[in-house]
Amino acid sequence: MAGRIRDEDIAEVREKARIDDVVSGYVTLRNAGGGSMKGLCPFHDEKSASFHVTPSRGFFHCFGCGEGGDVINFLMKIDGLSFTEAVERLADKTGIQLRREEGDAPQGPRGPARGRLIEAHRLAAEFYVDQLTTPDALAARQFLGSRGFDQEAAATFGVGYAPRDGEILFRHLRQKGFSPDELVTSGLVGQGRSHYDRFRGRLLWPIREANGEVIGFGARRLYDDDRIEAKYLNTPESPIYKKSHVLYGLDLARKEIGRSSQAVIVEGYTDVMACHLAGVGTAVATCGTAFGDDHARVLRRFMGDHGELRGEVIFTFDGDAAGQKAALRAFGGDQNFVSQTYVAVEPSGMDPCDLRLAKGDEAVRELISGRTPLYRFVLSNVLTRYDLDRADGRVDALREAAGLVSSVRDKSKVEAFTRELASSIGIDPDEARAEVRRATARAARGGRDQGRPAAQQRPAAGHETAAAGSTAPQPPALPNLRDPRFALERETLKLVLQHPGAVANAARDVSVHDFTHPTYAGVWQAVAASGGPAAGAADTGWTSLLRDRITDPLAMAALSALAVEPVLSPREPDTAYVVQHVNKLLELTAARRIADVKSRLQRTSPQQDPVEYNRMFQELMALEQRRRTLREGALGG
């Protein structure tokens, strides 16, 4: 087995792998000023962008959930990689040749490495594309042609063909050095009495991550004698493929989604192809499952869907009962988006692929541009289920529809929707308003926590209360890091992390005793153990070096936050700014020590213990002098 990767190579990877390039494969980042970029956090669901990336320091931090670190930590967290796997992937990306120490073997893997599973899928995708040109793939090419897709379109989307031979891919990948265990784990191969290809005699679409890595396939039935009757067959869940987190076409659509803050959700692979080829480059689709909350979270990150930036999410549904059911389900998840949600349904019920075939590219673009609010579509479907010519039908329709109106996120629209509801049913607007108020009250009684900030619904991480009936003592909660009492400690550490060269001389007398918050003290201990700020001035991987020395997760989170949070100076911190903050920090320490000595002095009798009394008095005078000197230095700075 290979030995441990050399430290200097790891440092080179950290230096050359741009964190903004890597993070942008998972999150749409926008300029936040001060050399920082921000977007929606990929590690927790949020409606306001609190995820910051600072390329100049190679660090990220989320001020919402506290996750932070360098580019290696980001990949480990987002893709579930080991440290070695993350370094190896970044080395491949940046063209760095990794060297390893002799005789220092890593621990054995717990299963096939993610990189191996990705590589197997890459080779499988190439194999399937090559097979599409063979004589045996005639039925696959004919199907594509019947749906309006030529050879160039197939190449753009990586469409391929799985031969009917049940072991041809298995044999091909075995020749490439993959073990049966790796191939079964990947989902490409099944295992019964022998190994067999998962996909046989089917047209295949590669399912890719946003960064372009193939992680699975969607396969369409072509032959009547296919023993698997399902029209579509998808890759099973695997270490790299989770269908609830995957959107087909996102790798092609992500840039346009980020640029336009628009996303179009269609129902199939051919619909994605049709939309993109027709000029709707924001189309994506789920893979064998309904659009759910996890899909929404993935999409929002690339849309930049937050309070300051709102866009459009447009669902396309068939006009049949299944499409109406899907619309209701989508409306139930409407609260996942800050953006306005719409629905685009072709009057005759055609999906985008059929529409493009029948009426051309312009008709697809018109379908999307002619979208209607999802609320209005759902409301119309609700009302069609009742006989509005009967009094009892109008009452029942009003009761159900009022529940929809009361759940509309933008409360400024409730009145307009209420009037529209009254007009649609044919009742007095005041009657509709009264029913909407009753629906609102019912919803409030049924879920009093709805709408409350998450922080008010559950304890903060690390501060859980004891279970009911438990008498176990709970550790005291640490003070908030942003408490004004610790503002000087926070600002000084930001200077130490971000501008170590500027603060090195001024901070020579700073010690761990100058930090009263345990978390800040932990960060300073890492600084001191690494040689102090002077060492950071000569080390481009300063913050990563400090992170490697910290074991406390709270201090680790604080470090990443301090590394990206802008200093309070309106310009680049100069000597005067640095000296002012450091001297004030030291002055506060002196003031605390003065209070301590005065307390002890008051409790000591000069008659009974004159020596100790005089010693403390002299110490008090020296401390007072030091405090005056520090204050003058701060004022002078």
Side-chain angles (χ1 to χ4, degrees):
M1 295 176 67
R4 189 171 66 90
I5 301 171
R6 293 186 180 182
D7 290 341
E8 54 266 36
D9 291 349
I10 295 173
E12 186 178 6
V13 166
R14 280 186 170 124
E15 180 181 352
K16 292 187 176 179
R18 287 186 57 87
I19 192 168
D20 48 329
D21 288 345
V22 174
V23 173
S24 292
Y26 303 84
V27 180
T28 294
L29 296 174
R30 290 182 169 81
N31 195 334
S36 180
M37 308 176 78
K38 71 176 181 178
L40 290 174
C41 181
F43 303 122
H44 82 292
D45 192 27
E46 59 177 359
K47 295 295 175 70
S48 297
S50 58
F51 181 81
H52 286 247
V53 174
T54 307
S56 63
R57 289 187 286 279
F59 249 62
F60 76 92
H61 183 78
C62 176
F63 290 93
C65 69
E67 287 291 345
D70 61 16
V71 65
I72 297 174
N73 302 128
F74 179 82
L75 270 188
M76 290 172 65
K77 176 71 177 179
I78 195 79
D79 282 336
L81 304 180
S82 69
F83 180 85
T84 299
E85 289 172 336
V87 172
E88 288 172 343
R89 191 194 297 187
L90 292 170
D92 288 341
K93 181 181 177 68
T94 54
I96 296 172
Q97 185 68 40
L98 296 177
R99 298 165 297 171
R100 298 177 183 270
E101 303 288 353
E102 293 292 337
D104 188 5
Q107 295 180 351
R110 291 171 292 183
R114 184 182 191 279
R116 293 286 291 172
L117 302 183
I118 293 293
E119 178 64 9
H121 275 80
R122 184 186 70 80
L123 293 173
E126 291 178 354
F127 175 81
Y128 289 140
V129 167
D130 290 340
Q131 294 298 311
L132 185 62
T133 63
T134 65
D136 289 341
L138 177 62
R141 294 193 298 273
Q142 288 176 336
F143 174 83
L144 288 172
S146 72
R147 305 303 286 159
F149 304 125
D150 57 18
Q151 183 177 352
E152 183 179 354
T156 298
F157 291 89
V159 182
Y161 173 72
R164 304 187 79 174
D165 182 327
E167 299 179 7
I168 188 169
L169 178 68
F170 176 70
R171 294 194 298 269
H172 175 73
L173 293 179
R174 286 288 285 137
Q175 291 174 358
K176 297 291 185 180
F178 289 90
S179 70
D181 180 54
E182 288 175 324
L183 298 178
V184 171
T185 302
S186 72
L188 294 169
V189 169
Q191 183 175 12
R193 283 179 290 184
S194 62
H195 292 90
Y196 59 89
D197 294 349
R198 176 77 61 179
F199 306 111
R200 289 157 287 169
R202 292 199 170 221
L203 186 66
L204 295 179
W205 286 265
I207 299 169
R208 303 185 180 104
E209 289 274 34
N211 61 9
E213 292 178 340
V214 180
I215 58 173
F217 293 92
R220 192 193 191 280
R221 191 172 190 259
L222 292 172
Y223 304 106
D224 292 338
D225 62 352
D226 192 329
R227 288 185 297 175
I228 301 176
E229 294 186 1
K231 181 185 290 188
Y232 282 94
L233 184 65
N234 293 281
T235 291
E237 297 271 311
S238 76
I240 61 172
Y241 179 77
K242 301 289 186 292
K243 64 183 179 181
S244 64
H245 294 74
V246 174
L247 288 166
Y248 174 73
L250 186 59
D251 58 308
L252 298 175
R254 49 169 295 222
K255 289 185 179 178
E256 184 63 18
I257 286 173
R259 186 195 67 78
S260 64
S261 292
Q262 181 199 75
V264 176
I265 316 299
V266 298
E267 294 195 321
Y269 306 125
T270 57
D271 292 331
V272 171
M273 294 178 70
C275 284
H276 280 257
L277 295 173
V280 182
T282 59
V284 296
T286 59
C287 302
T289 186
F291 188 88
D293 293 348
D294 290 330
H295 294 117
R297 280 189 278 272
V298 171
L299 199 56
R300 291 185 61 242
R301 295 203 307 265
F302 289 96
M303 290 181 64
D305 177 46
H306 53 81
E308 298 134 30
L309 183 67
R310 302 187 180 203
E312 298 178 345
V313 179
I314 304 170
F315 294 91
T316 65
F317 301 114
D318 293 337
D320 57 13
Q324 294 180 17
K325 184 177 179 181
L328 279 168
R329 187 166 53 242
F331 184 80
D334 177 65
Q335 303 293 334
N336 288 318
F337 294 102
V338 173
S339 296
Q340 179 64 54
T341 50
Y342 295 88
V343 62
V345 176
E346 204 277 329
S348 63
M350 287 189 288
D351 60 32
C353 186
D354 289 332
L355 182 61
R356 179 172 178 264
L357 273 175
K359 300 182 180 180
D361 291 347
E362 180 62 27
V364 176
R365 294 193 293 271
E366 289 178 355
L367 169 68
I368 303 304
S369 64
R371 67 208 180 280
T372 59
L374 178 59
Y375 151 78
R376 187 166 294 148
F377 178 80
V378 172
L379 176 62
S380 175
N381 285 333
V382 167
L383 297 183
T384 58
R385 298 204 299 270
Y386 297 94
D387 183 356
L388 301 182
D389 291 331
R390 293 169 53 93
D392 58 345
R394 291 193 295 273
V395 170
D396 292 340
L398 175 60
R399 182 176 294 116
E400 182 174 350
L404 289 174
V405 173
S406 68
S407 68
V408 172
R409 179 181 58 244
D410 189 344
K411 297 307 178 185
S412 65
K413 298 178 180 178
V414 169
E415 173 59 23
F417 288 159
T418 301
R419 290 197 302 270
E420 185 174 331
L421 172 61
S423 175
S424 299
I425 297 179
I427 60 174
D428 187 275
D430 287 338
E431 186 179 350
R433 291 188 189 99
E435 188 59 41
V436 168
R437 285 195 296 270
R438 285 192 288 270
T440 302
R442 285 195 297 270
R445 289 194 300 270
R448 297 191 180 279
D449 278 342
Q450 292 180 4
R452 291 173 56 195
Q456 295 180 19
Q457 294 184 32
R458 57 183 182 272
H463 294 260
E464 290 84 354
T465 58
S470 173
T471 58
Q474 296 298 307
L478 291 177
N480 192 313
L481 286 170
R482 293 186 177 277
D483 189 305
R485 292 175 296 167
F486 311 111
L488 271 174
E489 298 178 26
R490 187 177 188 88
E491 189 68 8
T492 302
L493 285 175
K494 282 158 54 178
L495 292 168
V496 168
L497 296 177
Q498 300 177 27
H499 305 278
V503 79
N505 288 332
R508 284 177 299 182
D509 294 332
V510 174
S511 75
V512 70
H513 303 296
D514 298 307
F515 298 91
T516 58
H517 196 294
T519 300
Y520 289 148
V523 174
W524 177 261
Q525 285 176 324
V527 171
S530 302
D539 191 340
T540 56
W542 174 232
T543 45
S544 294
L545 174 65
L546 296 178
R547 185 179 177 88
D548 291 343
R549 289 185 177 274
I550 294 176
T551 57
D552 176 26
L554 295 178
M556 197 175 295
L559 173 73
S560 61
L562 296 166
V564 303
E565 182 180 309
V567 297
L568 298 179
S569 174
R571 57 184 182 277
E572 190 76 1
D574 55 16
T575 302
Y577 184 86
V578 168
V579 169
Q580 179 186 46
H581 278 80
V582 172
N583 279 12
K584 284 184 177 180
L585 180 71
L586 295 174
E587 182 189 350
L588 285 178
T589 302
R592 290 194 298 272
R593 291 181 62 188
I594 287 170
D596 289 342
V597 172
K598 281 184 175 179
S599 177
R600 294 202 311 271
L601 198 62
Q602 291 175 354
R603 298 194 303 272
T604 303
S605 169
Q607 290 80 25
Q608 294 179 356
D609 196 352
V611 175
E612 181 62 11
Y613 186 89
N614 288 331
R615 187 197 65 76
M616 287 191 290
F617 186 80
Q618 292 300 320
E619 182 183 0
L620 182 61
M621 293 301 101
L623 286 170
E624 291 283 6
Q625 179 58 47
R626 174 168 173 73
R627 181 168 65 170
R628 284 194 294 272
T629 302
L630 290 168
R631 179 173 298 175
E632 290 168 0
L635 293 174

